[in-house]
Amino acid sequence: MTESVGIHVEGVHFGYPGRPVLRGVDMTVRPGELTALIGLNGCGKSTLLRLAAGLLRPDAGRVLLGADDLARLSRRATARRVALLHQSAPAVPGMTVRHLVRQGRYAARGPLGMLREGDDPVVERALRDVGVEQWADRDVDALSGGERQRVRLAMALAQDTRVLLLDEPTTYLDLHHQLDVLQTVVRLREERGLTVVMVLHDLAHAARFAERIVALREGRVVADGTPKQVVTPGLLAEVLKVAGRVGEDPEGGWPVCYPDHPIAALEYENQIH
Ligand SMILES: Nc1ncnc2c1ncn2[C@@H]1O[C@H](COP(=O)(O)OP(=O)(O)OP(=O)(O)O)[C@@H](O)[C@H]1O
């Protein structure tokens, strides 16, 4: 197995024009660790993943993959080290599943390598990893939203990087396939020593599948630790703005949340009663 690579986000500030988003983020993901990133809509999770994938540059601070500062790496060198499954992707008219997944090989093979016909074992393995090999010759356009999401995961895996960043990988998936994809990610991390950060909105999934949870609020890290350390009624209230209780799964031992009301609704009810 190739050596795993950690991620170090150090003092990162970032804003879009007129909109500060990240306000001094420090985050260390250890090599081979599976981390879930959580927080309310708009708190900066996708932005942080894009910075860790080298698609955006910090206004201040730096991002390192292992010992490499992303600011010093070319786009192609970065794409050999880190793959990002985007939250949403444009439609790709007239492209087969295998063709799309093969796009993940661009950084490794270059444009001429992309044109060579013939099966690339990494592409075929990525198709099998997420169980989409039976659709390899179908048009991506003709797939359902959930099917397409799994194909996009295969494309990220085809990049064959040590670091995998997944922005809401379970979007569009039914519960069966949500669990299937999360178990696949856990398996790949174990088999290949991948370092994984995934944005998840389902705290139950984060608590069950991640070794570590990092919570963002308004562009700052406000909690960072194991699911047991992080998932508390305080986290539900302060970070996710829901009132609720936290218990423990009787078999697995991971935290289980019982959300009650959104906090704003509670405050509103208190005002009118
Ligand atoms: N390209 C952009 N240009 C300007 N503002 C942006 C851009 N992308 C995101 N933003 C803004 O930056 C903030 C953080 O966005 P980001 O997508 O990182 O949040 P998020 O935590 O991933 O949210 P969600 O859970 O809704 O996906 C939001 O206020 C968003 O409107």
Side-chain angles (χ1 to χ4, degrees), residues 16 19 21 39-47 50 87 168 201:
Y16 301 101
R19 186 185 289 267
V21 176
L40 288 181
N41 293 138
C43 70
K45 303 178 298 295
S46 300
T47 301
R50 278 185 234 135
Q87 201 175 348
E168 300 187 29
H201 278 296

Side-chain angles (χ1 to χ4, degrees), residues 157-208:
L157 290 175
Q159 242 174 281
D160 201 23
T161 54
R162 312 306 307 148
V163 178
L164 191 57
L165 307 174
L166 306 174
D167 201 348
E168 300 187 29
T170 54
T171 308
Y172 304 117
L173 300 181
D174 58 59
L175 185 57
H176 172 90
H177 287 103
Q178 288 178 32
L179 295 172
D180 190 53
V181 158
L182 291 168
Q183 277 160 353
T184 300
V185 171
V186 169
R187 176 174 59 80
L188 294 176
R189 185 195 68 85
E190 281 166 7
E191 285 175 6
R192 299 180 199 162
L194 302 183
T195 304
V196 184
V197 182
M198 53 185 177
V199 171
L200 290 177
H201 278 296
D202 189 329
L203 190 58
H205 287 166
R208 176 171 171 186

Side-chain angles (χ1 to χ4, degrees), residues 11-76:
V12 163
H13 289 254
F14 177 84
Y16 301 101
R19 186 185 289 267
V21 176
L22 299 180
R23 302 156 196 262
V25 170
D26 291 298
M27 178 177 82
T28 295
V29 180
R30 285 181 278 273
E33 195 170 56
L34 176 51
T35 295
L37 199 53
I38 64 165
L40 288 181
N41 293 138
C43 70
K45 303 178 298 295
S46 300
T47 301
L48 181 55
L49 284 199
R50 278 185 234 135
L51 283 151
L55 300 179
L56 299 171
R57 295 280 182 231
D59 298 330
R62 57 182 193 157
V63 181
L64 296 106
L65 294 184
D68 298 323
D69 186 338
L70 284 188
R72 295 182 209 285
L73 293 180
S74 67
R75 273 282 159 90
R76 194 154 163 213

